[in-house]
Amino acid sequence: MVKQVVIWKLQDKCFGPNLGTIKANIKTKLEELNGQIPGLESIAVKTECLSSSTGDIVFEATFESEDAFKNYQKHELRLAATKDAIVPFVDTTTHVEFEV
């Protein structure tokens, strides 16, 4: 099994009246991928981080194997979800993948 953890820092322009909508859209778009991509076992998105955090959103995904993870990275559903919900709003991305 492979686990991926991603931490996103949102762009400053997001911190206004639309912040809740932006975070909710990211969470919904990504969690909707559950059960849609072969080898993807689970996705969970946390949008309410403590004020001591250096990131704004945490993404956790579990895959059957490293090959399943690689397939997920280039899968059209993932690319579509991230294109509209994440790319326009994220300033920095930190990620780590590891075997469980």
Side-chain angles (χ1 to χ4, degrees), residues 17-46:
N18 295 324
L19 179 61
T21 302
I22 292 167
K23 285 182 170 185
N25 190 44
I26 290 171
K27 181 176 178 64
T28 299
K29 291 283 186 185
L30 292 174
E31 289 184 349
E32 283 178 345
L33 296 175
N34 278 313
Q36 302 297 314
I37 300 175
L40 170 64
E41 293 189 353
S42 67
I43 287 180
V45 179
K46 307 296 183 200

Side-chain angles (χ1 to χ4, degrees), residues 25-91:
N25 190 44
I26 290 171
K27 181 176 178 64
T28 299
K29 291 283 186 185
L30 292 174
E31 289 184 349
E32 283 178 345
L33 296 175
N34 278 313
Q36 302 297 314
I37 300 175
L40 170 64
E41 293 189 353
S42 67
I43 287 180
V45 179
K46 307 296 183 200
T47 59
E48 300 304 320
C49 300
L50 298 177
S51 61
S52 59
S53 301
T54 58
D56 301 306
I57 298 174
V58 178
F59 167 92
E60 295 179 73
T62 305
F63 304 90
E64 290 177 355
S65 65
E66 186 173 358
D67 286 338
F69 169 66
K70 289 177 181 178
N71 289 332
Y72 163 83
Q73 286 184 297
K74 60 186 177 186
H75 197 281
E76 62 188 40
L77 292 176
R78 186 203 72 89
L79 295 173
T82 57
K83 178 184 174 191
D84 295 333
I86 296 169
V87 172
F89 305 107
V90 169
D91 187 30

